[in-house]
Amino acid sequence: MSNVPEGTGDAAQAGDAGSQAPAGNVLNEAEKERIRSEEIHSAEERRYREDVRREIRREARGRTTWARVVAMLQLEPGISDEIASDPNSTNQGLLVVAVANAVAYLLLLPIVVVTIPVSIAFIAINAGLYSLLSRLFASEVPEYSHWFRALLYATAPSALGIVPIIGSLVGGIYVVVLNVVVIRDLARITTGAAIVVWLIVLLLALIVIAVAGLWLGLAAFLQQMPTVFNF
């Protein structure tokens, strides 16, 4: 006969089961703690970004339009955020676009009446596309108005168009560089990712232009077809 009292085996098994149960609970608690830690880190990161933007807005009060243009041309760190975060910079940016176009087309000043609204419309479209496509690389991006303000200032180098031949080329390249910088700074992504976003937008623009050109060409051909084929 066994000397083990009756029920002892069941008690031992129960004790083993009880000793194993906390292990699963500990694992679950560790997982919960990890999730809580990530949530806290994410919340702290958002608060930090908001604090930085508030500080930028505070420091930017009273800064002149010209000072911001110079800072943008010099690729001053934080200038994109400063402009984007200040609601007053919208009117300043529109002035930058108007002056840049007026200077670039100084010898053909009457066409500025057309180039200014076209430039603003182009910027407005790009702002939406940059904001949308930047989400491929960033989880959070600023609201649309921030992109629009910063991109208005990014047109400043187009004033170099006043210099014959080379001015438009240099100014155009400069504008592209500033656009990439704005994308990088506002979306908080790498320069490489910002270039990819810019290239995608350029590709979309070329596709639209090509489709529009084909459509207009086809329309013109169909209109002249009776004459060509003596119908």
Side-chain angles (χ1 to χ4, degrees), residues 8-9 16 22 53 55 69 82 89 102 110 115 140 145 165-166 216:
T8 303
D16 291 342
R53 287 171 180 165
E55 183 65 18
V69 169
E82 174 186 317
S89 65
T115 61
E140 295 182 9
S145 60
I165 304 175
I166 194 172
L216 291 174

Side-chain angles (χ1 to χ4, degrees), residues 22 51 60-61 77 81 93:
D51 289 342
R61 289 172 185 170
D81 276 319

Side-chain angles (χ1 to χ4, degrees), residues 75-94:
L75 305 180
E76 180 183 300
I79 184 59
S80 296
D81 276 319
E82 174 186 317
I83 293 171
S85 301
D86 183 7
N88 295 325
S89 65
T90 302
N91 291 334
Q92 295 175 349
L94 292 172

Side-chain angles (χ1 to χ4, degrees), residues 20-182:
Q20 293 174 0
N25 293 335
V26 170
L27 181 61
N28 291 336
E29 288 300 324
E31 186 68 17
K32 291 177 182 178
E33 183 62 29
R34 183 184 66 81
I35 294 173
R36 279 196 295 268
S37 177
E38 290 179 353
E39 291 176 347
I40 292 173
H41 176 74
S42 178
E44 289 178 347
E45 185 177 0
R46 286 195 296 270
R47 282 196 297 270
Y48 172 75
R49 289 183 179 181
E50 288 302 319
D51 289 342
V52 170
R53 287 171 180 165
R54 278 195 295 270
E55 183 65 18
I56 289 172
R57 287 195 294 267
R58 186 186 65 79
E59 294 178 353
R61 289 172 185 170
R63 199 171 191 186
T64 64
T65 304
W66 175 247
R68 283 177 168 171
V69 169
V70 172
M72 176 67 83
L73 295 177
Q74 293 177 343
L75 305 180
E76 180 183 300
I79 184 59
S80 296
D81 276 319
E82 174 186 317
I83 293 171
S85 301
D86 183 7
N88 295 325
S89 65
T90 302
N91 291 334
Q92 295 175 349
L94 292 172
L95 177 62
V96 170
V97 174
V99 172
N101 276 269
V103 173
Y105 299 100
L106 188 61
L107 300 179
L108 300 170
L109 205 54
I111 70 170
V112 172
V113 178
V114 176
T115 61
I116 290 177
V118 169
S119 296
I120 294 173
F122 184 72
I123 293 168
I125 294 171
N126 279 355
L129 291 175
Y130 290 157
S131 175
L132 179 63
L133 293 172
S134 292
R135 298 176 189 276
L136 296 173
F137 304 95
S139 57
E140 295 182 9
V141 298
E143 60 188 48
Y144 173 83
S145 60
H146 288 216
W147 294 88
F148 182 65
R149 293 168 192 152
L151 290 173
L152 287 173
Y153 272 83
T155 63
S158 60
L160 293 174
I162 192 174
V163 180
I165 304 175
I166 194 172
S168 296
L169 176 62
V170 173
I173 294 173
Y174 210 158
V175 169
V176 170
V177 171
L178 293 184
N179 272 254
V180 171
V181 170
V182 168

Side-chain angles (χ1 to χ4, degrees), residues 177-211:
V177 171
L178 293 184
N179 272 254
V180 171
V181 170
V182 168
I183 297 169
R184 181 196 66 190
D185 292 350
L186 294 190
R188 303 292 193 276
I189 57 180
T190 64
T191 302
I195 292 173
V196 171
V197 171
W198 183 85
L199 287 174
I200 293 174
V201 173
L202 175 63
L203 180 60
L204 292 175
L206 292 177
I207 291 173
V208 170
I209 292 172
V211 171

